[in-house]
Amino acid sequence: MARKKGGRTFKTSSDMLKAWEAYKEQCDNATVVQTTFSQKDGKYITEKIPHPITYTLKGFALSAGMTENNFYETYRNKEEFGLVIACMKEECETDARSKFENGTIDSRLAGLWLSRYGYTTNVEQKVDADMTLNVSIDYGDE
């Protein structure tokens, strides 16, 4: 879906929200084709299975026919769209978290994926370099 140079895809924030809802529905209803061999029937069975994908602003921009960079250049500084974009970012984060927490997405990817939202898997360790170690040795009765 190409757009005219210099033109806006979304005339109002309401238009953007409608497109965002359609994009989320597309992500939530994504499927993959899986082929398995049935021992019982002795043949391969191909079926579509649900496989939701996470929401991203990059994916949304592409679905609207523009790059993520162009999306931000066009709408970021427009007051009417600022709140909508902020809400979309937060929805992306909560969607990713919920899909990791409920097992939709392999949890081994959580650290990598959620780092883009400021989460970290690092554990802070503080060591006090001025520690004093008192050791007493008991040699028994002397």
Side-chain angles (χ1 to χ4, degrees):
M1 163 188 318
R3 54 186 218 86
K4 294 179 184 176
K5 188 173 182 173
R8 289 195 313 178
T9 299
F10 307 111
K11 300 297 182 198
T12 66
S13 59
S14 180
D15 292 341
M16 184 182 282
L17 280 172
K18 287 176 189 169
W20 175 247
E21 291 302 320
Y23 169 74
K24 291 189 316 180
E25 187 171 327
Q26 180 184 3
C27 290
D28 291 339
N29 294 309
T31 59
V32 293
V33 176
Q34 180 176 339
T35 302
T36 55
F37 184 75
S38 170
Q39 294 282 346
K40 180 181 173 186
D41 299 329
K43 62 181 179 180
Y44 287 97
I45 299 172
T46 301
E47 61 185 337
K48 284 186 178 182
I49 58 170
H51 192 76
I53 58 174
T54 55
Y55 313 149
T56 64
L57 288 180
K58 182 176 287 197
F60 174 68
L62 289 172
S63 74
M66 63 182 86
T67 65
E68 181 182 29
N69 197 30
N70 185 257
F71 172 77
Y72 282 120
E73 284 177 6
T74 305
Y75 298 103
R76 178 183 11 211
N77 296 322
K78 308 265 188 293
E79 187 176 335
E80 177 184 0
F81 296 97
L83 181 59
V84 173
I85 293 171
C87 288
M88 290 164 63
K89 285 181 181 181
E90 290 184 12
E91 275 193 86
C92 289
E93 178 183 341
T94 56
D95 174 66
R97 278 197 61 188
S98 68
K99 286 177 178 166
F100 281 116
E101 291 173 6
N102 70 21
T104 301
I105 302 173
D106 190 334
S107 63
R108 293 177 292 180
L109 299 172
L112 176 65
W113 187 258
L114 291 174
S115 67
R116 66 191 326 189
Y117 300 112
Y119 295 93
T120 180
T121 57
N122 296 340
V123 177
E124 186 176 323
Q125 295 180 352
K126 185 175 181 180
V127 177
D128 186 358
D130 295 330
M131 291 190 314
T132 305
L133 181 61
N134 294 319
V135 178
S136 63
I137 301 174
D138 184 9
Y139 291 104
D141 292 339
E142 291 188 345

